[in-house]
Amino acid sequence: WCPVCGALERHRLVWIFIQSRIELLDPYPKKLLHIAPEKVLESKFRQFPSLEYISGDLHDPRAMVKIDVTDIQYPDDSFDAILCSHVLEHVANDRQAIGEFYRVIKPNGFAVLMVPIVAKETFEDPTVTNPAERERLFGQRDHVRSYGPDFKDRLESAGFSVKEFRERDIVERHDLMRLGGLNSE
């Protein structure tokens, strides 16, 4: 966590990824849906005049639009890009949310969907509602599942063509510690 701007290492990493690997910030008009907007990233996106930026969240009043990711109010093919980081592990029906992301993204668009991969295989049990038990099973009181590498399968089953990136695919190994102690293995 940066005490100056409040960025976590995942925020720094996704910003480097956006700048270096995808054409979101080029001078051509694009429309971005940013779910559960991180303040540090929101301020960066708002600096680009060619980017129509829409932030959405179910509970955060700072967001521009109230959005339930399982029932997105925008028509099909509305966005060139979607950014959703560390949200789906909180959503009871993540498959429906992933389907909604696929529905509202344009055919040549892309989504950056980040979740913590902490298990060998995705584990969820909707009968677990006790916060202490959720913390024990899923790592946090408000998580409803622990994702494994099979997260990719969930995305593909909704229609997405998936390319996985790890931090070492985005930055050089010697930069990982400088960026905040990212896993350099």
Side-chain angles (χ1 to χ4, degrees), residues 121-169:
E121 186 176 13
T122 299
F123 170 71
E124 57 191 333
D125 182 348
T127 66
V128 177
T129 58
N130 177 284
E133 185 64 3
R134 280 184 173 175
E135 184 170 13
R136 186 183 76 76
L137 290 174
F138 309 127
Q140 199 168 305
R141 297 171 92 71
D142 58 348
H143 285 190
V144 297
R145 78 187 50 79
S146 292
Y147 283 108
D150 59 331
F151 175 61
K152 177 182 178 183
D153 300 334
R154 289 177 184 239
L155 298 173
E156 289 173 341
S157 70
F160 282 104
S161 173
V162 177
K163 176 139 175 66
E164 295 178 79
F165 292 92
R166 300 194 186 286
E167 61 271 1
R168 63 184 170 271
D169 299 326

mmCIF file of all heavy atoms in Angstrom, residues 121-169:
data_model
loop_
_atom_site.group_PDB
_atom_site.id
_atom_site.type_symbol
_atom_site.label_atom_id
_atom_site.label_comp_id
_atom_site.label_asym_id
_atom_site.label_seq_id
_atom_site.Cartn_x
_atom_site.Cartn_y
_atom_site.Cartn_z
ATOM 1 N N GLU A 121 -8.195 -25.348 -6.948
ATOM 2 C CA GLU A 121 -9.407 -25.403 -7.754
ATOM 3 C C GLU A 121 -10.442 -24.509 -7.073
ATOM 4 O O GLU A 121 -10.469 -24.413 -5.847
ATOM 5 C CB GLU A 121 -9.913 -26.849 -7.825
ATOM 6 C CG GLU A 121 -11.080 -27.054 -8.741
ATOM 7 C CD GLU A 121 -11.473 -28.528 -8.838
ATOM 8 O OE1 GLU A 121 -11.014 -29.344 -8.025
ATOM 9 O OE2 GLU A 121 -12.267 -28.833 -9.734
ATOM 10 N N THR A 122 -11.285 -23.861 -7.867
ATOM 11 C CA THR A 122 -12.292 -22.973 -7.296
ATOM 12 C C THR A 122 -13.185 -23.747 -6.332
ATOM 13 O O THR A 122 -13.657 -24.839 -6.643
ATOM 14 C CB THR A 122 -13.127 -22.315 -8.403
ATOM 15 O OG1 THR A 122 -12.247 -21.536 -9.218
ATOM 16 C CG2 THR A 122 -14.205 -21.423 -7.827
ATOM 17 N N PHE A 123 -13.372 -23.140 -5.159
ATOM 18 C CA PHE A 123 -14.211 -23.751 -4.130
ATOM 19 C C PHE A 123 -15.244 -22.736 -3.683
ATOM 20 O O PHE A 123 -14.918 -21.595 -3.366
ATOM 21 C CB PHE A 123 -13.361 -24.193 -2.930
ATOM 22 C CG PHE A 123 -14.192 -24.603 -1.748
ATOM 23 C CD1 PHE A 123 -14.921 -25.782 -1.764
ATOM 24 C CD2 PHE A 123 -14.268 -23.797 -0.622
ATOM 25 C CE1 PHE A 123 -15.707 -26.155 -0.680
ATOM 26 C CE2 PHE A 123 -15.041 -24.156 0.477
ATOM 27 C CZ PHE A 123 -15.766 -25.341 0.441
ATOM 28 N N GLU A 124 -16.505 -23.168 -3.672
ATOM 29 C CA GLU A 124 -17.577 -22.317 -3.163
ATOM 30 C C GLU A 124 -18.624 -23.198 -2.509
ATOM 31 O O GLU A 124 -18.781 -24.367 -2.845
ATOM 32 C CB GLU A 124 -18.194 -21.473 -4.279
ATOM 33 C CG GLU A 124 -18.743 -22.262 -5.452
ATOM 34 C CD GLU A 124 -19.091 -21.382 -6.635
ATOM 35 O OE1 GLU A 124 -19.392 -20.192 -6.446
ATOM 36 O OE2 GLU A 124 -19.054 -21.886 -7.755
ATOM 37 N N ASP A 125 -19.296 -22.634 -1.537
ATOM 38 C CA ASP A 125 -20.376 -23.329 -0.843
ATOM 39 C C ASP A 125 -21.396 -22.264 -0.453
ATOM 40 O O ASP A 125 -21.215 -21.548 0.528
ATOM 41 C CB ASP A 125 -19.849 -24.055 0.392
ATOM 42 C CG ASP A 125 -20.920 -24.830 1.133
ATOM 43 O OD1 ASP A 125 -22.125 -24.634 0.840
ATOM 44 O OD2 ASP A 125 -20.564 -25.617 2.022
ATOM 45 N N PRO A 126 -22.478 -22.134 -1.241
ATOM 46 C CA PRO A 126 -23.449 -21.071 -0.975
ATOM 47 C C PRO A 126 -24.187 -21.211 0.351
ATOM 48 O O PRO A 126 -24.823 -20.254 0.806
ATOM 49 C CB PRO A 126 -24.424 -21.169 -2.156
ATOM 50 C CG PRO A 126 -24.172 -22.470 -2.791
ATOM 51 C CD PRO A 126 -22.798 -22.917 -2.420
ATOM 52 N N THR A 127 -24.073 -22.354 0.992
ATOM 53 C CA THR A 127 -24.740 -22.511 2.292
ATOM 54 C C THR A 127 -23.966 -21.829 3.416
ATOM 55 O O THR A 127 -24.499 -21.635 4.505
ATOM 56 C CB THR A 127 -24.949 -23.994 2.645
ATOM 57 O OG1 THR A 127 -23.673 -24.615 2.843
ATOM 58 C CG2 THR A 127 -25.732 -24.716 1.550
ATOM 59 N N VAL A 128 -22.708 -21.468 3.146
ATOM 60 C CA VAL A 128 -21.891 -20.802 4.160
ATOM 61 C C VAL A 128 -22.230 -19.311 4.153
ATOM 62 O O VAL A 128 -21.935 -18.606 3.193
ATOM 63 C CB VAL A 128 -20.384 -21.016 3.904
ATOM 64 C CG1 VAL A 128 -19.556 -20.262 4.932
ATOM 65 C CG2 VAL A 128 -20.035 -22.489 3.906
ATOM 66 N N THR A 129 -22.864 -18.859 5.214
ATOM 67 C CA THR A 129 -23.248 -17.451 5.318
ATOM 68 C C THR A 129 -22.641 -16.767 6.540
ATOM 69 O O THR A 129 -22.634 -15.549 6.620
ATOM 70 C CB THR A 129 -24.784 -17.307 5.362
ATOM 71 O OG1 THR A 129 -25.279 -18.055 6.468
ATOM 72 C CG2 THR A 129 -25.419 -17.801 4.071
ATOM 73 N N ASN A 130 -22.121 -17.533 7.470
ATOM 74 C CA ASN A 130 -21.507 -16.982 8.671
ATOM 75 C C ASN A 130 -20.188 -16.306 8.296
ATOM 76 O O ASN A 130 -19.313 -16.941 7.697
ATOM 77 C CB ASN A 130 -21.270 -18.110 9.688
ATOM 78 C CG ASN A 130 -20.576 -17.604 10.927
ATOM 79 O OD1 ASN A 130 -19.373 -17.365 10.908
ATOM 80 N ND2 ASN A 130 -21.346 -17.449 11.996
ATOM 81 N N PRO A 131 -20.022 -15.019 8.619
ATOM 82 C CA PRO A 131 -18.800 -14.306 8.241
ATOM 83 C C PRO A 131 -17.514 -14.959 8.746
ATOM 84 O O PRO A 131 -16.518 -15.001 8.015
ATOM 85 C CB PRO A 131 -18.994 -12.917 8.847
ATOM 86 C CG PRO A 131 -20.471 -12.760 8.947
ATOM 87 C CD PRO A 131 -20.998 -14.133 9.253
ATOM 88 N N ALA A 132 -17.513 -15.472 9.947
ATOM 89 C CA ALA A 132 -16.306 -16.110 10.475
ATOM 90 C C ALA A 132 -15.975 -17.376 9.681
ATOM 91 O O ALA A 132 -14.804 -17.651 9.395
ATOM 92 C CB ALA A 132 -16.477 -16.437 11.956
ATOM 93 N N GLU A 133 -16.993 -18.123 9.324
ATOM 94 C CA GLU A 133 -16.773 -19.342 8.538
ATOM 95 C C GLU A 133 -16.341 -18.995 7.113
ATOM 96 O O GLU A 133 -15.494 -19.671 6.535
ATOM 97 C CB GLU A 133 -18.039 -20.217 8.536
ATOM 98 C CG GLU A 133 -17.876 -21.550 7.862
ATOM 99 C CD GLU A 133 -16.885 -22.500 8.538
ATOM 100 O OE1 GLU A 133 -16.308 -22.173 9.605
ATOM 101 O OE2 GLU A 133 -16.659 -23.587 7.981
ATOM 102 N N ARG A 134 -16.888 -17.926 6.569
ATOM 103 C CA ARG A 134 -16.440 -17.477 5.244
ATOM 104 C C ARG A 134 -14.968 -17.074 5.284
ATOM 105 O O ARG A 134 -14.205 -17.385 4.383
ATOM 106 C CB ARG A 134 -17.283 -16.295 4.759
ATOM 107 C CG ARG A 134 -18.614 -16.691 4.196
ATOM 108 C CD ARG A 134 -19.334 -15.486 3.643
ATOM 109 N NE ARG A 134 -20.539 -15.886 2.955
ATOM 110 C CZ ARG A 134 -21.413 -15.036 2.451
ATOM 111 N NH1 ARG A 134 -21.215 -13.732 2.567
ATOM 112 N NH2 ARG A 134 -22.483 -15.473 1.839
ATOM 113 N N GLU A 135 -14.588 -16.392 6.358
ATOM 114 C CA GLU A 135 -13.183 -16.007 6.475
ATOM 115 C C GLU A 135 -12.295 -17.239 6.555
ATOM 116 O O GLU A 135 -11.246 -17.302 5.928
ATOM 117 C CB GLU A 135 -12.980 -15.116 7.693
ATOM 118 C CG GLU A 135 -11.561 -14.595 7.814
ATOM 119 C CD GLU A 135 -11.410 -13.533 8.877
ATOM 120 O OE1 GLU A 135 -12.319 -13.344 9.697
ATOM 121 O OE2 GLU A 135 -10.350 -12.883 8.879
ATOM 122 N N ARG A 136 -12.718 -18.230 7.299
ATOM 123 C CA ARG A 136 -11.936 -19.459 7.422
ATOM 124 C C ARG A 136 -11.830 -20.196 6.085
ATOM 125 O O ARG A 136 -10.751 -20.627 5.690
ATOM 126 C CB ARG A 136 -12.572 -20.375 8.473
ATOM 127 C CG ARG A 136 -11.746 -21.630 8.772
ATOM 128 C CD ARG A 136 -12.431 -22.542 9.763
ATOM 129 N NE ARG A 136 -13.517 -23.296 9.190
ATOM 130 C CZ ARG A 136 -13.381 -24.378 8.397
ATOM 131 N NH1 ARG A 136 -12.182 -24.795 8.078
ATOM 132 N NH2 ARG A 136 -14.435 -25.008 7.930
ATOM 133 N N LEU A 137 -12.943 -20.291 5.375
ATOM 134 C CA LEU A 137 -12.966 -21.061 4.135
ATOM 135 C C LEU A 137 -12.453 -20.293 2.919
ATOM 136 O O LEU A 137 -11.784 -20.865 2.056
ATOM 137 C CB LEU A 137 -14.390 -21.552 3.843
ATOM 138 C CG LEU A 137 -14.939 -22.619 4.759
ATOM 139 C CD1 LEU A 137 -16.401 -22.898 4.438
ATOM 140 C CD2 LEU A 137 -14.115 -23.900 4.638
ATOM 141 N N PHE A 138 -12.798 -19.014 2.839
ATOM 142 C CA PHE A 138 -12.526 -18.248 1.621
ATOM 143 C C PHE A 138 -11.510 -17.129 1.805
ATOM 144 O O PHE A 138 -11.195 -16.414 0.866
ATOM 145 C CB PHE A 138 -13.833 -17.662 1.067
ATOM 146 C CG PHE A 138 -14.942 -18.666 0.902
ATOM 147 C CD1 PHE A 138 -16.184 -18.444 1.472
ATOM 148 C CD2 PHE A 138 -14.751 -19.841 0.192
ATOM 149 C CE1 PHE A 138 -17.208 -19.357 1.323
ATOM 150 C CE2 PHE A 138 -15.769 -20.763 0.034
ATOM 151 C CZ PHE A 138 -17.001 -20.529 0.607
ATOM 152 N N GLY A 139 -11.033 -16.929 3.044
ATOM 153 C CA GLY A 139 -9.975 -15.960 3.284
ATOM 154 C C GLY A 139 -10.424 -14.568 3.657
ATOM 155 O O GLY A 139 -9.615 -13.730 4.024
ATOM 156 N N GLN A 140 -11.718 -14.296 3.543
ATOM 157 C CA GLN A 140 -12.230 -12.975 3.902
ATOM 158 C C GLN A 140 -13.705 -13.125 4.247
ATOM 159 O O GLN A 140 -14.411 -13.937 3.660
ATOM 160 C CB GLN A 140 -12.042 -12.011 2.723
ATOM 161 C CG GLN A 140 -12.103 -10.561 3.111
ATOM 162 C CD GLN A 140 -11.622 -9.656 1.989
ATOM 163 O OE1 GLN A 140 -10.516 -9.812 1.490
ATOM 164 N NE2 GLN A 140 -12.448 -8.709 1.602
ATOM 165 N N ARG A 141 -14.170 -12.311 5.170
ATOM 166 C CA ARG A 141 -15.548 -12.435 5.685
ATOM 167 C C ARG A 141 -16.631 -12.201 4.629
ATOM 168 O O ARG A 141 -17.731 -12.710 4.739
ATOM 169 C CB ARG A 141 -15.754 -11.471 6.851
ATOM 170 C CG ARG A 141 -14.863 -11.786 8.039
ATOM 171 C CD ARG A 141 -14.909 -10.716 9.116
ATOM 172 N NE ARG A 141 -15.899 -10.925 10.158
ATOM 173 C CZ ARG A 141 -15.845 -11.855 11.095
ATOM 174 N NH1 ARG A 141 -14.849 -12.715 11.094
ATOM 175 N NH2 ARG A 141 -16.774 -11.939 12.011
ATOM 176 N N ASP A 142 -16.312 -11.415 3.607
ATOM 177 C CA ASP A 142 -17.313 -11.118 2.588
ATOM 178 C C ASP A 142 -17.062 -11.831 1.258
ATOM 179 O O ASP A 142 -17.703 -11.540 0.257
ATOM 180 C CB ASP A 142 -17.440 -9.608 2.373
ATOM 181 C CG ASP A 142 -16.132 -8.958 1.965
ATOM 182 O OD1 ASP A 142 -15.061 -9.599 2.048
ATOM 183 O OD2 ASP A 142 -16.176 -7.781 1.556
ATOM 184 N N HIS A 143 -16.150 -12.788 1.254
ATOM 185 C CA HIS A 143 -15.941 -13.613 0.058
ATOM 186 C C HIS A 143 -16.912 -14.783 0.079
ATOM 187 O O HIS A 143 -17.259 -15.289 1.142
ATOM 188 C CB HIS A 143 -14.516 -14.161 0.011
ATOM 189 C CG HIS A 143 -13.500 -13.138 -0.378
ATOM 190 N ND1 HIS A 143 -12.207 -13.467 -0.669
ATOM 191 C CD2 HIS A 143 -13.576 -11.790 -0.528
ATOM 192 C CE1 HIS A 143 -11.522 -12.381 -0.970
ATOM 193 N NE2 HIS A 143 -12.340 -11.347 -0.886
ATOM 194 N N VAL A 144 -17.336 -15.189 -1.110
ATOM 195 C CA VAL A 144 -18.250 -16.331 -1.221
ATOM 196 C C VAL A 144 -17.603 -17.516 -1.940
ATOM 197 O O VAL A 144 -18.242 -18.547 -2.133
ATOM 198 C CB VAL A 144 -19.579 -15.933 -1.912
ATOM 199 C CG1 VAL A 144 -20.317 -14.906 -1.069
ATOM 200 C CG2 VAL A 144 -19.340 -15.418 -3.317
ATOM 201 N N ARG A 145 -16.343 -17.359 -2.331
ATOM 202 C CA ARG A 145 -15.602 -18.462 -2.958
ATOM 203 C C ARG A 145 -14.117 -18.148 -2.932
ATOM 204 O O ARG A 145 -13.714 -16.994 -2.768
ATOM 205 C CB ARG A 145 -16.079 -18.724 -4.394
ATOM 206 C CG ARG A 145 -15.575 -17.764 -5.429
ATOM 207 C CD ARG A 145 -16.198 -17.959 -6.798
ATOM 208 N NE ARG A 145 -17.648 -18.038 -6.771
ATOM 209 C CZ ARG A 145 -18.456 -16.992 -6.668
ATOM 210 N NH1 ARG A 145 -17.957 -15.771 -6.565
ATOM 211 N NH2 ARG A 145 -19.763 -17.135 -6.640
ATOM 212 N N SER A 146 -13.333 -19.202 -3.136
ATOM 213 C CA SER A 146 -11.897 -19.080 -3.373
ATOM 214 C C SER A 146 -11.651 -19.580 -4.787
ATOM 215 O O SER A 146 -12.037 -20.693 -5.128
ATOM 216 C CB SER A 146 -11.098 -19.942 -2.385
ATOM 217 O OG SER A 146 -11.217 -19.443 -1.085
ATOM 218 N N TYR A 147 -11.024 -18.748 -5.597
ATOM 219 C CA TYR A 147 -10.761 -19.125 -6.982
ATOM 220 C C TYR A 147 -9.468 -19.905 -7.119
ATOM 221 O O TYR A 147 -8.498 -19.658 -6.409
ATOM 222 C CB TYR A 147 -10.673 -17.887 -7.876
ATOM 223 C CG TYR A 147 -12.008 -17.287 -8.217
ATOM 224 C CD1 TYR A 147 -12.400 -16.081 -7.658
ATOM 225 C CD2 TYR A 147 -12.872 -17.916 -9.102
ATOM 226 C CE1 TYR A 147 -13.618 -15.511 -7.976
ATOM 227 C CE2 TYR A 147 -14.098 -17.359 -9.418
ATOM 228 C CZ TYR A 147 -14.467 -16.162 -8.862
ATOM 229 O OH TYR A 147 -15.676 -15.602 -9.169
ATOM 230 N N GLY A 148 -9.484 -20.797 -8.089
ATOM 231 C CA GLY A 148 -8.295 -21.514 -8.515
ATOM 232 C C GLY A 148 -8.012 -21.161 -9.967
ATOM 233 O O GLY A 148 -8.731 -20.348 -10.578
ATOM 234 N N PRO A 149 -6.992 -21.785 -10.545
ATOM 235 C CA PRO A 149 -6.659 -21.520 -11.950
ATOM 236 C C PRO A 149 -7.802 -21.835 -12.922
ATOM 237 O O PRO A 149 -7.798 -21.358 -14.056
ATOM 238 C CB PRO A 149 -5.455 -22.434 -12.211
ATOM 239 C CG PRO A 149 -4.875 -22.686 -10.861
ATOM 240 C CD PRO A 149 -6.031 -22.674 -9.908
ATOM 241 N N ASP A 150 -8.790 -22.612 -12.471
ATOM 242 C CA ASP A 150 -9.941 -22.911 -13.327
ATOM 243 C C ASP A 150 -10.865 -21.704 -13.509
ATOM 244 O O ASP A 150 -11.885 -21.801 -14.206
ATOM 245 C CB ASP A 150 -10.716 -24.117 -12.795
ATOM 246 C CG ASP A 150 -11.227 -23.915 -11.371
ATOM 247 O OD1 ASP A 150 -10.594 -23.181 -10.594
ATOM 248 O OD2 ASP A 150 -12.260 -24.523 -11.039
ATOM 249 N N PHE A 151 -10.520 -20.550 -12.945
ATOM 250 C CA PHE A 151 -11.263 -19.319 -13.213
ATOM 251 C C PHE A 151 -11.346 -19.086 -14.714
ATOM 252 O O PHE A 151 -12.378 -18.650 -15.243
ATOM 253 C CB PHE A 151 -10.586 -18.135 -12.502
ATOM 254 C CG PHE A 151 -11.207 -16.799 -12.797
ATOM 255 C CD1 PHE A 151 -12.529 -16.531 -12.473
ATOM 256 C CD2 PHE A 151 -10.461 -15.793 -13.396
ATOM 257 C CE1 PHE A 151 -13.102 -15.285 -12.739
ATOM 258 C CE2 PHE A 151 -11.019 -14.552 -13.659
ATOM 259 C CZ PHE A 151 -12.337 -14.301 -13.334
ATOM 260 N N LYS A 152 -10.282 -19.423 -15.409
ATOM 261 C CA LYS A 152 -10.237 -19.290 -16.871
ATOM 262 C C LYS A 152 -11.394 -20.049 -17.518
ATOM 263 O O LYS A 152 -12.016 -19.557 -18.458
ATOM 264 C CB LYS A 152 -8.889 -19.814 -17.387
ATOM 265 C CG LYS A 152 -8.751 -19.800 -18.871
ATOM 266 C CD LYS A 152 -7.415 -20.384 -19.315
ATOM 267 C CE LYS A 152 -7.357 -20.398 -20.825
ATOM 268 N NZ LYS A 152 -6.140 -20.994 -21.331
ATOM 269 N N ASP A 153 -11.716 -21.234 -17.005
ATOM 270 C CA ASP A 153 -12.814 -22.036 -17.562
ATOM 271 C C ASP A 153 -14.155 -21.320 -17.419
ATOM 272 O O ASP A 153 -15.007 -21.400 -18.304
ATOM 273 C CB ASP A 153 -12.883 -23.403 -16.876
ATOM 274 C CG ASP A 153 -11.607 -24.209 -17.035
ATOM 275 O OD1 ASP A 153 -10.875 -23.982 -18.023
ATOM 276 O OD2 ASP A 153 -11.341 -25.064 -16.164
ATOM 277 N N ARG A 154 -14.349 -20.633 -16.305
ATOM 278 C CA ARG A 154 -15.595 -19.885 -16.100
ATOM 279 C C ARG A 154 -15.728 -18.770 -17.138
ATOM 280 O O ARG A 154 -16.815 -18.518 -17.661
ATOM 281 C CB ARG A 154 -15.647 -19.291 -14.696
ATOM 282 C CG ARG A 154 -15.846 -20.330 -13.625
ATOM 283 C CD ARG A 154 -15.830 -19.719 -12.232
ATOM 284 N NE ARG A 154 -15.928 -20.789 -11.259
ATOM 285 C CZ ARG A 154 -16.897 -20.900 -10.359
ATOM 286 N NH1 ARG A 154 -17.827 -19.991 -10.267
ATOM 287 N NH2 ARG A 154 -16.907 -21.908 -9.519
ATOM 288 N N LEU A 155 -14.632 -18.108 -17.418
ATOM 289 C CA LEU A 155 -14.648 -17.031 -18.407
ATOM 290 C C LEU A 155 -14.917 -17.587 -19.809
ATOM 291 O O LEU A 155 -15.737 -17.047 -20.553
ATOM 292 C CB LEU A 155 -13.327 -16.268 -18.385
ATOM 293 C CG LEU A 155 -12.987 -15.560 -17.077
ATOM 294 C CD1 LEU A 155 -11.576 -14.988 -17.143
ATOM 295 C CD2 LEU A 155 -13.992 -14.485 -16.748
ATOM 296 N N GLU A 156 -14.237 -18.662 -20.148
ATOM 297 C CA GLU A 156 -14.415 -19.264 -21.471
ATOM 298 C C GLU A 156 -15.828 -19.812 -21.656
ATOM 299 O O GLU A 156 -16.384 -19.730 -22.749
ATOM 300 C CB GLU A 156 -13.365 -20.340 -21.705
ATOM 301 C CG GLU A 156 -11.978 -19.751 -21.901
ATOM 302 C CD GLU A 156 -10.868 -20.787 -21.971
ATOM 303 O OE1 GLU A 156 -11.074 -21.944 -21.510
ATOM 304 O OE2 GLU A 156 -9.793 -20.430 -22.488
ATOM 305 N N SER A 157 -16.429 -20.340 -20.599
ATOM 306 C CA SER A 157 -17.784 -20.877 -20.726
ATOM 307 C C SER A 157 -18.809 -19.768 -21.000
ATOM 308 O O SER A 157 -19.884 -20.034 -21.523
ATOM 309 C CB SER A 157 -18.175 -21.687 -19.485
ATOM 310 O OG SER A 157 -18.365 -20.848 -18.377
ATOM 311 N N ALA A 158 -18.464 -18.521 -20.692
ATOM 312 C CA ALA A 158 -19.339 -17.389 -20.998
ATOM 313 C C ALA A 158 -19.107 -16.857 -22.409
ATOM 314 O O ALA A 158 -19.863 -16.021 -22.883
ATOM 315 C CB ALA A 158 -19.121 -16.271 -19.978
ATOM 316 N N GLY A 159 -18.041 -17.315 -23.060
ATOM 317 C CA GLY A 159 -17.735 -16.877 -24.421
ATOM 318 C C GLY A 159 -16.431 -16.131 -24.577
ATOM 319 O O GLY A 159 -15.978 -15.882 -25.688
ATOM 320 N N PHE A 160 -15.801 -15.755 -23.466
ATOM 321 C CA PHE A 160 -14.547 -15.014 -23.552
ATOM 322 C C PHE A 160 -13.426 -15.887 -24.110
ATOM 323 O O PHE A 160 -13.342 -17.080 -23.821
ATOM 324 C CB PHE A 160 -14.106 -14.519 -22.162
ATOM 325 C CG PHE A 160 -14.830 -13.307 -21.682
ATOM 326 C CD1 PHE A 160 -15.827 -13.407 -20.715
ATOM 327 C CD2 PHE A 160 -14.520 -12.047 -22.173
ATOM 328 C CE1 PHE A 160 -16.498 -12.288 -20.253
ATOM 329 C CE2 PHE A 160 -15.184 -10.916 -21.722
ATOM 330 C CZ PHE A 160 -16.175 -11.037 -20.763
ATOM 331 N N SER A 161 -12.568 -15.267 -24.898
ATOM 332 C CA SER A 161 -11.296 -15.852 -25.282
ATOM 333 C C SER A 161 -10.297 -15.308 -24.261
ATOM 334 O O SER A 161 -10.149 -14.089 -24.135
ATOM 335 C CB SER A 161 -10.931 -15.414 -26.695
ATOM 336 O OG SER A 161 -9.637 -15.837 -27.018
ATOM 337 N N VAL A 162 -9.630 -16.190 -23.536
ATOM 338 C CA VAL A 162 -8.866 -15.778 -22.362
ATOM 339 C C VAL A 162 -7.365 -15.836 -22.616
ATOM 340 O O VAL A 162 -6.857 -16.813 -23.161
ATOM 341 C CB VAL A 162 -9.221 -16.673 -21.143
ATOM 342 C CG1 VAL A 162 -8.381 -16.292 -19.935
ATOM 343 C CG2 VAL A 162 -10.705 -16.571 -20.830
ATOM 344 N N LYS A 163 -6.696 -14.780 -22.200
ATOM 345 C CA LYS A 163 -5.243 -14.779 -22.138
ATOM 346 C C LYS A 163 -4.886 -14.453 -20.703
ATOM 347 O O LYS A 163 -5.282 -13.405 -20.190
ATOM 348 C CB LYS A 163 -4.648 -13.747 -23.081
ATOM 349 C CG LYS A 163 -3.135 -13.660 -22.970
ATOM 350 C CD LYS A 163 -2.473 -13.524 -24.293
ATOM 351 C CE LYS A 163 -0.987 -13.326 -24.220
ATOM 352 N NZ LYS A 163 -0.216 -14.407 -23.705
ATOM 353 N N GLU A 164 -4.191 -15.360 -20.065
ATOM 354 C CA GLU A 164 -3.793 -15.157 -18.668
ATOM 355 C C GLU A 164 -2.469 -14.411 -18.614
ATOM 356 O O GLU A 164 -1.583 -14.648 -19.421
ATOM 357 C CB GLU A 164 -3.606 -16.504 -17.973
ATOM 358 C CG GLU A 164 -4.862 -17.311 -17.833
ATOM 359 C CD GLU A 164 -4.580 -18.649 -17.185
ATOM 360 O OE1 GLU A 164 -4.431 -18.676 -15.950
ATOM 361 O OE2 GLU A 164 -4.500 -19.640 -17.919
ATOM 362 N N PHE A 165 -2.357 -13.528 -17.630
ATOM 363 C CA PHE A 165 -1.115 -12.823 -17.368
ATOM 364 C C PHE A 165 -0.781 -12.971 -15.896
ATOM 365 O O PHE A 165 -1.652 -12.883 -15.050
ATOM 366 C CB PHE A 165 -1.240 -11.325 -17.694
ATOM 367 C CG PHE A 165 -1.387 -11.032 -19.152
ATOM 368 C CD1 PHE A 165 -2.646 -10.922 -19.716
ATOM 369 C CD2 PHE A 165 -0.273 -10.864 -19.951
ATOM 370 C CE1 PHE A 165 -2.802 -10.651 -21.064
ATOM 371 C CE2 PHE A 165 -0.412 -10.590 -21.297
ATOM 372 C CZ PHE A 165 -1.679 -10.479 -21.858
ATOM 373 N N ARG A 166 0.469 -13.154 -15.631
ATOM 374 C CA ARG A 166 0.987 -13.125 -14.269
ATOM 375 C C ARG A 166 1.900 -11.903 -14.183
ATOM 376 O O ARG A 166 2.308 -11.347 -15.196
ATOM 377 C CB ARG A 166 1.746 -14.403 -13.961
ATOM 378 C CG ARG A 166 0.867 -15.638 -14.092
ATOM 379 C CD ARG A 166 1.511 -16.849 -13.460
ATOM 380 N NE ARG A 166 0.766 -18.054 -13.685
ATOM 381 C CZ ARG A 166 -0.378 -18.390 -13.086
ATOM 382 N NH1 ARG A 166 -0.908 -17.586 -12.213
ATOM 383 N NH2 ARG A 166 -0.989 -19.522 -13.367
ATOM 384 N N GLU A 167 2.211 -11.505 -12.976
ATOM 385 C CA GLU A 167 3.012 -10.293 -12.828
ATOM 386 C C GLU A 167 4.327 -10.360 -13.597
ATOM 387 O O GLU A 167 4.758 -9.388 -14.195
ATOM 388 C CB GLU A 167 3.256 -9.953 -11.345
ATOM 389 C CG GLU A 167 4.003 -10.989 -10.562
ATOM 390 C CD GLU A 167 3.123 -12.047 -9.909
ATOM 391 O OE1 GLU A 167 1.896 -12.021 -10.070
ATOM 392 O OE2 GLU A 167 3.684 -12.922 -9.232
ATOM 393 N N ARG A 168 4.946 -11.534 -13.658
ATOM 394 C CA ARG A 168 6.229 -11.666 -14.363
ATOM 395 C C ARG A 168 6.069 -11.543 -15.880
ATOM 396 O O ARG A 168 7.045 -11.359 -16.594
ATOM 397 C CB ARG A 168 6.906 -12.968 -13.986
ATOM 398 C CG ARG A 168 6.145 -14.204 -14.379
ATOM 399 C CD ARG A 168 6.834 -15.485 -13.883
ATOM 400 N NE ARG A 168 6.001 -16.635 -14.067
ATOM 401 C CZ ARG A 168 5.114 -17.091 -13.192
ATOM 402 N NH1 ARG A 168 4.968 -16.476 -12.035
ATOM 403 N NH2 ARG A 168 4.390 -18.152 -13.438
ATOM 404 N N ASP A 169 4.838 -11.635 -16.384
ATOM 405 C CA ASP A 169 4.568 -11.425 -17.808
ATOM 406 C C ASP A 169 4.459 -9.939 -18.132
ATOM 407 O O ASP A 169 4.506 -9.548 -19.291
ATOM 408 C CB ASP A 169 3.256 -12.105 -18.218
ATOM 409 C CG ASP A 169 3.266 -13.602 -18.004
ATOM 410 O OD1 ASP A 169 4.335 -14.228 -18.169
ATOM 411 O OD2 ASP A 169 2.192 -14.150 -17.656
#
